[in-house]
Amino acid sequence: APASTTKLMTAVLALEHCQLTDEVTTSAHARSMGGSQVFLEEGEKQTVETMIKCIVVASGNDASVAMAEHIAGTESEFVSRMNQKAKELGMNDTKFEDCCGLTDSDGHYTTAADVAKMSRELIERFPQILNYSSIWMEEITQKGSKPFTLTNTNKLIRGYEGCVGLKTGSTSKAKYCVSAVAKKNDLTMLAVVMGAPDYKVRFADAASLFQYGFSSCSIYIDRERDPLPELSVVYGKQDTAELEYAEEFRYLTTGGTVIGEVEKTMELPEEVQAPIQKGECAGRVVYKADGEELGSVAILYGADVARAGMWDLFGCTMKQYFLGTA
């Protein structure tokens, strides 16, 4: 039983289908939710951004249901979309029956590995979620009431250096769960704990997983990339072609292995023939350490170069002739 880590999928769909400035209206059904709430009133309107804060910071069941109804019309239709998304993400051991995890139904289940998959989807596609999940306390203004203070249920935000989220959960059936995210030394780690006997154990176990992960892994990032030359072009309307890197090179080691000194070798032809299309591969940069190849990054053409026509070639020949006889 996943308890409120269920809300991670609700957040994925909310950010996938809505703008942060969209307004969400709370229904009587959403207002009636038990468990953890932010006490939304029937008819109350809040932005999607505020609702997401209510969901990930304070674990509001009422906010989750209001968000589900806003997107799909009914919670049941939204749950169908949650299950479809779970299939797309390869969450083969997951089935949702509500959007907030309040249910104790045996038909509502997942695994730590599947929680990690939807957590990764959330932080990779929508990294702004970490701006919300790292909030410790924040006030929101609600209809007909004084400002309501959201307080983060994830105590690792204050208890583990580098923790920036993500979501806790607890019910009598699920016990205590957490999907936590921490950042250190250019690495982002996910730690998922489910079924812990109390809230202290779930946080202690997640912290232990982080310690293991950060001590076992290191990453090399090529932030000082060598400048690329312009490549000589034959039969082109331009004499040279611009080049660009396809991506930033990163190499992760695990098991406590330390990367040695990295050597870079650029593999490019001396010249190429036109026509050339922007984005085509021109060559690559190869990265090696201790004699072993770590990987490579493609070098792409940065602009089109059209093939020269007959008059272009004639003009070029005449230019070379007159320059040569000057």
Side-chain angles (χ1 to χ4, degrees), residues 30-45:
R31 181 185 180 277
S32 71
M33 290 297 104
S36 56
Q37 303 177 61
V38 292
F39 304 102
L40 299 170
E41 295 291 334
E42 182 180 353
E44 180 173 344
K45 293 183 179 181

Side-chain angles (χ1 to χ4, degrees), residues 19 53 80 82-83 85 145 156 235 244 269 288 320:
Q19 298 294 319
K53 290 178 183 179
S80 296
M82 292 172 69
N83 286 316
K85 190 67 178 180
S145 66
L156 284 172
Y235 304 132
E244 60 187 20
K288 292 183 178 181
Q320 290 177 346

Side-chain angles (χ1 to χ4, degrees), residues 84 135 162:
Q84 179 59 42
I135 292 169

Side-chain angles (χ1 to χ4, degrees), residues 79-152:
V79 171
S80 296
R81 298 188 189 186
M82 292 172 69
N83 286 316
Q84 179 59 42
K85 190 67 178 180
K87 288 182 181 178
E88 292 173 13
L89 296 178
M91 296 168 59
N92 299 322
D93 298 302
T94 296
K95 184 173 182 293
F96 297 115
E97 289 194 351
D98 73 6
C99 68
C100 56
L102 189 60
T103 179
D104 277 336
S105 168
D106 290 337
H108 187 87
Y109 57 85
T110 188
T111 64
D114 279 2
V115 171
K117 288 177 184 177
M118 65 176 169
S119 299
R120 182 174 59 191
E121 173 77 0
L122 183 57
I123 65 176
E124 285 190 342
R125 284 191 62 198
F126 310 106
Q128 68 266 39
I129 194 69
L130 298 178
N131 296 333
Y132 306 130
S133 65
S134 58
I135 292 169
W136 182 245
M137 296 180 76
E138 184 171 310
E139 285 189 344
I140 62 168
T141 301
Q142 295 189 256
K143 177 183 176 182
S145 66
K146 295 179 180 178
F148 181 82
T149 301
L150 304 177
T151 303
N152 207 314

Side-chain angles (χ1 to χ4, degrees), residues 191-242:
V192 179
V193 177
M194 303 186 74
D198 61 53
Y199 74 94
K200 291 182 180 178
V201 170
R202 72 176 168 191
F203 294 140
D205 284 353
S208 294
L209 287 169
F210 283 143
Q211 287 297 100
Y212 173 77
F214 286 119
S215 64
S216 299
C217 302
S218 62
I219 191 167
Y220 167 81
I221 303 174
D222 184 12
R223 289 200 172 96
E224 298 180 358
R225 295 186 292 189
D226 298 330
L228 293 170
E230 289 191 333
L231 201 56
S232 179
V233 179
V234 179
Y235 304 132
K237 287 196 171 185
Q238 290 86 40
D239 295 331
T240 59
E242 299 175 17

